[in-house]
Tab-separated table of all heavy atoms in Angstrom:
chain	number	residue	atom	x	y	z
N	5	ALA	N	-3.906	-8.796	-63.155
N	5	ALA	CA	-2.579	-8.784	-63.793
N	5	ALA	C	-2.058	-10.209	-63.913
N	5	ALA	O	-2.336	-11.058	-63.079
N	5	ALA	CB	-1.614	-7.938	-62.983
N	6	LYS	N	-1.319	-10.463	-64.962
N	6	LYS	CA	-0.756	-11.786	-65.214
N	6	LYS	C	0.716	-11.797	-64.827
N	6	LYS	O	1.453	-10.885	-65.185
N	6	LYS	CB	-0.898	-12.164	-66.697
N	6	LYS	CG	-2.331	-12.187	-67.185
N	6	LYS	CD	-3.105	-13.297	-66.525
N	6	LYS	CE	-4.534	-13.328	-67.019
N	6	LYS	NZ	-5.485	-13.676	-66.022
N	7	PRO	N	1.145	-12.858	-64.119
N	7	PRO	CA	2.567	-12.949	-63.787
N	7	PRO	C	3.420	-13.078	-65.044
N	7	PRO	O	2.980	-13.616	-66.054
N	7	PRO	CB	2.657	-14.240	-62.947
N	7	PRO	CG	1.266	-14.530	-62.503
N	7	PRO	CD	0.360	-13.934	-63.542
N	8	ASP	N	4.636	-12.586	-64.984
N	8	ASP	CA	5.583	-12.689	-66.087
N	8	ASP	C	6.067	-14.133	-66.180
N	8	ASP	O	6.709	-14.634	-65.260
N	8	ASP	CB	6.756	-11.747	-65.814
N	8	ASP	CG	7.796	-11.750	-66.911
N	8	ASP	OD1	7.701	-12.590	-67.825
N	8	ASP	OD2	8.707	-10.908	-66.845
N	9	PRO	N	5.764	-14.841	-67.293
N	9	PRO	CA	6.148	-16.242	-67.386
N	9	PRO	C	7.657	-16.463	-67.303
N	9	PRO	O	8.109	-17.497	-66.841
N	9	PRO	CB	5.620	-16.695	-68.752
N	9	PRO	CG	4.922	-15.553	-69.363
N	9	PRO	CD	5.052	-14.369	-68.454
N	10	ALA	N	8.444	-15.481	-67.715
N	10	ALA	CA	9.898	-15.628	-67.645
N	10	ALA	C	10.366	-15.760	-66.199
N	10	ALA	O	11.378	-16.380	-65.923
N	10	ALA	CB	10.575	-14.444	-68.314
N	11	LEU	N	9.624	-15.159	-65.284
N	11	LEU	CA	9.995	-15.243	-63.877
N	11	LEU	C	9.389	-16.464	-63.193
N	11	LEU	O	9.722	-16.756	-62.053
N	11	LEU	CB	9.568	-13.973	-63.144
N	11	LEU	CG	10.267	-12.701	-63.610
N	11	LEU	CD1	9.701	-11.482	-62.899
N	11	LEU	CD2	11.763	-12.792	-63.402
N	12	ALA	N	8.513	-17.180	-63.886
N	12	ALA	CA	7.904	-18.368	-63.301
N	12	ALA	C	8.868	-19.542	-63.265
N	12	ALA	O	8.801	-20.385	-62.375
N	12	ALA	CB	6.641	-18.748	-64.071
N	13	ALA	N	9.796	-19.614	-64.234
N	13	ALA	CA	10.715	-20.758	-64.317
N	13	ALA	C	11.523	-20.951	-63.032
N	13	ALA	O	11.578	-22.076	-62.511
N	13	ALA	CB	11.622	-20.629	-65.531
N	14	PRO	N	12.143	-19.894	-62.466
N	14	PRO	CA	12.899	-20.116	-61.227
N	14	PRO	C	12.014	-20.606	-60.075
N	14	PRO	O	12.432	-21.477	-59.300
N	14	PRO	CB	13.497	-18.741	-60.914
N	14	PRO	CG	13.531	-18.034	-62.226
N	14	PRO	CD	12.339	-18.538	-62.984
N	15	GLY	N	10.813	-20.067	-59.971
N	15	GLY	CA	9.912	-20.493	-58.902
N	15	GLY	C	9.475	-21.941	-59.062
N	15	GLY	O	9.477	-22.713	-58.099
N	16	LEU	N	9.107	-22.310	-60.281
N	16	LEU	CA	8.722	-23.699	-60.541
N	16	LEU	C	9.904	-24.628	-60.308
N	16	LEU	O	9.751	-25.705	-59.716
N	16	LEU	CB	8.188	-23.854	-61.967
N	16	LEU	CG	6.797	-23.272	-62.225
N	16	LEU	CD1	6.483	-23.275	-63.713
N	16	LEU	CD2	5.743	-24.048	-61.459
N	17	ALA	N	11.077	-24.226	-60.775
N	17	ALA	CA	12.265	-25.062	-60.597
N	17	ALA	C	12.568	-25.278	-59.117
N	17	ALA	O	12.887	-26.399	-58.703
N	17	ALA	CB	13.466	-24.438	-61.303
N	18	SER	N	12.449	-24.225	-58.311
N	18	SER	CA	12.749	-24.395	-56.886
N	18	SER	C	11.729	-25.308	-56.212
N	18	SER	O	12.089	-26.112	-55.352
N	18	SER	CB	12.844	-23.047	-56.172
N	18	SER	OG	11.612	-22.391	-56.161
N	19	LEU	N	10.460	-25.221	-56.627
N	19	LEU	CA	9.452	-26.134	-56.083
N	19	LEU	C	9.727	-27.573	-56.516
N	19	LEU	O	9.615	-28.501	-55.712
N	19	LEU	CB	8.044	-25.714	-56.533
N	19	LEU	CG	7.422	-24.539	-55.799
N	19	LEU	CD1	6.151	-24.085	-56.496
N	19	LEU	CD2	7.133	-24.902	-54.350
N	20	ILE	N	10.067	-27.759	-57.783
N	20	ILE	CA	10.373	-29.097	-58.297
N	20	ILE	C	11.592	-29.665	-57.563
N	20	ILE	O	11.582	-30.827	-57.135
N	20	ILE	CB	10.592	-29.057	-59.826
N	20	ILE	CG1	9.262	-28.775	-60.533
N	20	ILE	CG2	11.224	-30.350	-60.338
N	20	ILE	CD1	9.396	-28.369	-61.988
N	21	HIS	N	12.612	-28.842	-57.399
N	21	HIS	CA	13.837	-29.267	-56.706
N	21	HIS	C	13.518	-29.672	-55.260
N	21	HIS	O	13.990	-30.719	-54.777
N	21	HIS	CB	14.862	-28.137	-56.756
N	21	HIS	CG	16.162	-28.463	-56.114
N	21	HIS	ND1	17.058	-29.355	-56.654
N	21	HIS	CD2	16.723	-28.021	-54.954
N	21	HIS	CE1	18.118	-29.449	-55.870
N	21	HIS	NE2	17.936	-28.642	-54.832
N	22	ALA	N	12.730	-28.853	-54.580
N	22	ALA	CA	12.371	-29.156	-53.185
N	22	ALA	C	11.509	-30.419	-53.106
N	22	ALA	O	11.701	-31.252	-52.215
N	22	ALA	CB	11.644	-27.972	-52.557
N	23	ALA	N	10.568	-30.570	-54.038
N	23	ALA	CA	9.717	-31.768	-54.059
N	23	ALA	C	10.557	-33.015	-54.324
N	23	ALA	O	10.363	-34.062	-53.701
N	23	ALA	CB	8.627	-31.627	-55.113
N	24	ARG	N	11.502	-32.896	-55.239
N	24	ARG	CA	12.398	-34.021	-55.550
N	24	ARG	C	13.219	-34.397	-54.322
N	24	ARG	O	13.533	-35.554	-54.099
N	24	ARG	CB	13.309	-33.661	-56.715
N	24	ARG	CG	14.253	-34.782	-57.127
N	24	ARG	CD	14.874	-34.503	-58.486
N	24	ARG	NE	15.963	-35.402	-58.783
N	24	ARG	CZ	15.848	-36.685	-59.092
N	24	ARG	NH1	14.640	-37.222	-59.146
N	24	ARG	NH2	16.898	-37.424	-59.351
N	25	GLY	N	13.536	-33.404	-53.502
N	25	GLY	CA	14.300	-33.642	-52.281
N	25	GLY	C	13.452	-34.154	-51.122
N	25	GLY	O	13.952	-34.354	-50.028
N	26	GLY	N	12.154	-34.331	-51.355
N	26	GLY	CA	11.285	-34.903	-50.331
N	26	GLY	C	10.516	-33.903	-49.496
N	26	GLY	O	9.898	-34.275	-48.500
N	27	ASN	N	10.504	-32.634	-49.876
N	27	ASN	CA	9.760	-31.623	-49.122
N	27	ASN	C	8.273	-31.806	-49.396
N	27	ASN	O	7.808	-31.545	-50.510
N	27	ASN	CB	10.228	-30.229	-49.546
N	27	ASN	CG	9.523	-29.124	-48.801
N	27	ASN	OD1	8.312	-29.135	-48.653
N	27	ASN	ND2	10.294	-28.150	-48.358
N	28	PRO	N	7.485	-32.241	-48.397
N	28	PRO	CA	6.061	-32.516	-48.635
N	28	PRO	C	5.252	-31.262	-48.981
N	28	PRO	O	4.331	-31.327	-49.789
N	28	PRO	CB	5.578	-33.144	-47.328
N	28	PRO	CG	6.587	-32.776	-46.303
N	28	PRO	CD	7.878	-32.538	-47.024
N	29	GLN	N	5.620	-30.117	-48.401
N	29	GLN	CA	4.896	-28.879	-48.695
N	29	GLN	C	5.112	-28.481	-50.158
N	29	GLN	O	4.166	-28.122	-50.858
N	29	GLN	CB	5.347	-27.768	-47.757
N	29	GLN	CG	4.584	-26.475	-47.952
N	29	GLN	CD	5.048	-25.380	-46.997
N	29	GLN	OE1	5.960	-25.556	-46.201
N	29	GLN	NE2	4.414	-24.232	-47.085
N	30	ALA	N	6.354	-28.570	-50.624
N	30	ALA	CA	6.642	-28.242	-52.023
N	30	ALA	C	5.922	-29.201	-52.953
N	30	ALA	O	5.378	-28.788	-53.978
N	30	ALA	CB	8.149	-28.290	-52.278
N	31	LEU	N	5.888	-30.471	-52.592
N	31	LEU	CA	5.196	-31.464	-53.419
N	31	LEU	C	3.706	-31.151	-53.507
N	31	LEU	O	3.121	-31.210	-54.589
N	31	LEU	CB	5.423	-32.871	-52.862
N	31	LEU	CG	4.875	-34.016	-53.689
N	31	LEU	CD1	5.453	-34.012	-55.098
N	31	LEU	CD2	5.167	-35.348	-53.010
N	32	GLN	N	3.119	-30.775	-52.387
N	32	GLN	CA	1.692	-30.436	-52.379
N	32	GLN	C	1.425	-29.195	-53.237
N	32	GLN	O	0.493	-29.179	-54.041
N	32	GLN	CB	1.215	-30.190	-50.949
N	32	GLN	CG	-0.258	-29.819	-50.885
N	32	GLN	CD	-0.728	-29.509	-49.474
N	32	GLN	OE1	0.019	-29.598	-48.516
N	32	GLN	NE2	-1.981	-29.144	-49.351
N	33	ILE	N	2.249	-28.176	-53.092
N	33	ILE	CA	2.052	-26.931	-53.841
N	33	ILE	C	2.203	-27.186	-55.337
N	33	ILE	O	1.359	-26.767	-56.136
N	33	ILE	CB	3.035	-25.840	-53.368
N	33	ILE	CG1	2.681	-25.401	-51.952
N	33	ILE	CG2	3.035	-24.644	-54.319
N	33	ILE	CD1	3.751	-24.542	-51.293
N	34	ILE	N	3.262	-27.903	-55.737
N	34	ILE	CA	3.497	-28.136	-57.161
N	34	ILE	C	2.416	-29.048	-57.738
N	34	ILE	O	2.002	-28.873	-58.884
N	34	ILE	CB	4.935	-28.656	-57.434
N	34	ILE	CG1	5.313	-28.489	-58.906
N	34	ILE	CG2	5.104	-30.093	-57.028
N	34	ILE	CD1	5.655	-27.116	-59.331
N	35	ALA	N	1.916	-29.991	-56.949
N	35	ALA	CA	0.836	-30.870	-57.412
N	35	ALA	C	-0.440	-30.062	-57.654
N	35	ALA	O	-1.138	-30.259	-58.665
N	35	ALA	CB	0.577	-31.987	-56.407
N	36	GLU	N	-0.736	-29.139	-56.751
N	36	GLU	CA	-1.925	-28.296	-56.909
N	36	GLU	C	-1.780	-27.377	-58.120
N	36	GLU	O	-2.737	-27.163	-58.866
N	36	GLU	CB	-2.186	-27.496	-55.641
N	36	GLU	CG	-2.670	-28.356	-54.493
N	36	GLU	CD	-2.720	-27.634	-53.161
N	36	GLU	OE1	-2.477	-26.407	-53.114
N	36	GLU	OE2	-3.000	-28.309	-52.153
N	37	MET	N	-0.576	-26.853	-58.320
N	37	MET	CA	-0.333	-25.992	-59.484
N	37	MET	C	-0.510	-26.793	-60.776
N	37	MET	O	-1.138	-26.314	-61.722
N	37	MET	CB	1.078	-25.395	-59.422
N	37	MET	CG	1.247	-24.345	-58.362
N	37	MET	SD	2.958	-23.788	-58.215
N	37	MET	CE	3.140	-22.880	-59.729
N	38	ALA	N	0.035	-28.006	-60.797
N	38	ALA	CA	-0.083	-28.848	-61.993
N	38	ALA	C	-1.542	-29.181	-62.279
N	38	ALA	O	-1.971	-29.174	-63.437
N	38	ALA	CB	0.743	-30.122	-61.820
N	39	GLU	N	-2.303	-29.422	-61.221
N	39	GLU	CA	-3.726	-29.707	-61.400
N	39	GLU	C	-4.454	-28.509	-62.012
N	39	GLU	O	-5.261	-28.653	-62.937
N	39	GLU	CB	-4.359	-30.083	-60.058
N	39	GLU	CG	-5.826	-30.452	-60.173
N	39	GLU	CD	-6.443	-30.815	-58.822
N	39	GLU	OE1	-5.694	-31.192	-57.894
N	39	GLU	OE2	-7.670	-30.712	-58.712
């Protein structure tokens, strides 16, 4: 099954926000997702 892309925006935004705030775990997760 494929995730609903409309629901991905809040999750990505929260990871980006946390990474911007210096959360190393969020930065690692978002970096892996981007890769």
Side-chain angles (χ1 to χ4, degrees):
K6 301 293 180 216
D8 181 352
L11 296 176
L16 287 170
S18 66
L19 282 170
I20 290 165
H21 181 71
R24 181 166 168 73
N27 181 314
Q29 183 180 2
L31 186 58
Q32 179 183 358
I33 291 168
I34 197 76
E36 289 170 6
M37 288 174 71
E39 182 180 337

